[in-house]
Amino acid sequence: MKKIGIITTLVGLSMSSAFASNDILKMPDFVAVSAVSHIEEKAEKVASSTPFVRLQNRGIRIIDERLKALASNSDAINRNKNLTAEQKTVLLSQLNNNSTALTTLRTSVASSTDATSTRALIDSVYKDYRIYGIVIPKVRLEARVYQLKAHTVKLSDTFLKIQSKIDDHKAKGHDVTAWQKNLDDAKTKVAGHMFSLDEILKKTATLTPANYGTSTRVTIQEVNTQIQTIQKDFRTISSGVRSKAGKDDMKKIKQERMQSTATGTPGVVR
């Protein structure tokens, strides 16, 4: 009888381990995103007495600095493993379009022959482009939104698998009330965040050089706040749909194992 009890205990432990590793699904890894700063981009003051060549070189320098920043951000997007190919294409097109336009502007500055036209070309770097103040912050915010959107897709796929597990456990007599509620609440939150993320993209679309200095700072702050709120919610969602199931079901299995050990009868094989 003692030998049977030992064997039964080992069977129960084996079942418990299998349940813990195979039935509790791993949630998709969440990548936290940081806030994007609003950058003041003020035009450089150049004295009217500045020699033409020095003025021209300054214009080329500020354009080259922005071209370098655009290239650096393009590289970061290309390396980002949390963005889909389609999302990268959308973001890179914005950076590439500005890079192409600035390259053309650089040629115009380099070939300019008088100070008046050169000054006008330099002023357009701020008036028509705002690479630091608008373009780069906008693309960075949208990259963060896209990462969160990609996470909602992963969560939705995982929810389908969790629902299947819940249905299976319910059919076997387990109490899945709390687990089901957690999952239903998570589904509702994610659906709401999917809508919110689409609305955020509409808001970032209003970030243009033309409205720099008016509504742009407020818009960037609002988008940052919304993004941070959503990602905090995603963290609670990830833990909520797993924890209750693990505690309740493992407790029931432990009770069954103890009963089997006490009676010397094999446990119920799942």
Side-chain angles (χ1 to χ4, degrees):
M1 179 64 72
K2 185 179 292 185
K3 186 175 182 180
I4 293 175
I6 294 173
I7 293 174
T8 306
T9 301
L10 292 175
V11 170
L13 288 171
S14 176
M15 286 162 32
S16 174
S17 299
F19 180 88
S21 61
N22 297 331
D23 271 12
I24 305 303
L25 291 167
K26 183 179 184 298
M27 297 298 293
D29 293 333
F30 177 73
V31 179
V33 293
S34 59
V36 175
S37 301
H38 175 271
I39 300 174
E40 296 286 348
E41 188 175 12
K42 298 180 179 179
E44 295 184 13
K45 293 182 179 180
V46 183
S48 57
S49 59
T50 302
F52 167 65
V53 173
R54 184 179 298 175
L55 179 66
Q56 189 178 47
N57 288 337
R58 179 169 295 183
I60 291 173
R61 175 179 57 79
I62 64 174
I63 292 174
D64 284 346
E65 288 173 350
R66 285 158 175 77
L67 287 172
K68 184 178 180 180
L70 290 170
S72 177
N73 279 270
S74 293
D75 288 341
I77 290 173
N78 277 317
R79 293 194 307 270
N80 194 320
K81 297 179 180 179
N82 300 302
L83 294 171
T84 66
E86 183 179 0
Q87 291 171 341
K88 289 181 180 181
T89 297
V90 173
L91 297 172
L92 290 172
S93 65
Q94 298 182 57
L95 298 175
N96 292 338
N97 289 342
N98 278 277
S99 181
T100 298
L102 277 181
T103 299
T104 300
L105 181 65
R106 186 187 191 284
T107 300
S108 297
V109 171
S111 61
S112 179
T113 57
D114 66 276
T116 301
S117 61
T118 300
R119 287 180 185 279
L121 292 170
I122 294 174
D123 287 342
S124 71
V125 172
Y126 304 94
K127 180 181 178 182
D128 300 327
Y129 297 96
R130 295 288 180 187
I131 302 301
Y132 296 145
I134 296 295
V135 177
I136 291 177
K138 177 177 181 292
V139 168
R140 287 181 175 177
L141 285 172
E142 291 178 349
R144 284 154 173 73
V145 172
Y146 284 143
Q147 289 182 74
L148 293 176
K149 284 173 71 69
H151 190 66
T152 64
V153 174
K154 293 178 182 178
L155 282 175
S156 296
D157 289 342
T158 303
F159 290 165
L160 293 174
K161 297 175 183 177
I162 292 176
Q163 185 63 65
S164 178
K165 292 293 182 184
I166 290 176
D167 294 341
D168 181 53
H169 283 235
K170 184 177 181 181
K172 293 175 181 177
H174 292 275
D175 181 6
V176 296
T177 304
W179 194 5
Q180 185 67 66
K181 183 181 184 305
N182 283 344
L183 180 60
D184 290 341
D185 290 346
K187 288 178 180 178
T188 300
K189 282 187 176 182
V190 170
H193 289 327
M194 285 180 175
F195 175 79
S196 297
L197 290 168
D198 286 335
E199 292 300 303
I200 291 175
L201 287 177
K202 293 179 182 178
K203 190 173 291 186
T204 60
T206 66
L207 294 171
T208 64
N211 60 26
Y212 171 83
T214 55
S215 61
T216 54
R217 176 185 288 276
V218 173
T219 298
I220 290 174
Q221 290 174 339
E222 288 178 349
V223 170
N224 272 316
T225 299
Q226 289 177 290
I227 288 175
Q228 295 303 314
T229 298
I230 290 174
Q231 75 167 351
K232 286 179 182 178
D233 230 7
F234 280 160
R235 288 196 184 95
T236 61
I237 286 173
S238 295
S239 60
V241 295
R242 297 177 69 250
S243 59
K244 188 63 180 177
K247 290 178 181 178
D248 284 358
D249 284 320
M250 289 304 294
K251 182 179 179 181
K252 187 167 184 177
I253 286 179
K254 184 177 180 180
Q255 291 173 343
E256 291 174 355
R257 189 180 69 229
M258 291 176 66
Q259 291 172 357
S260 298
T261 304
T263 60
T265 57
V268 180
V269 178
R270 293 181 176 79

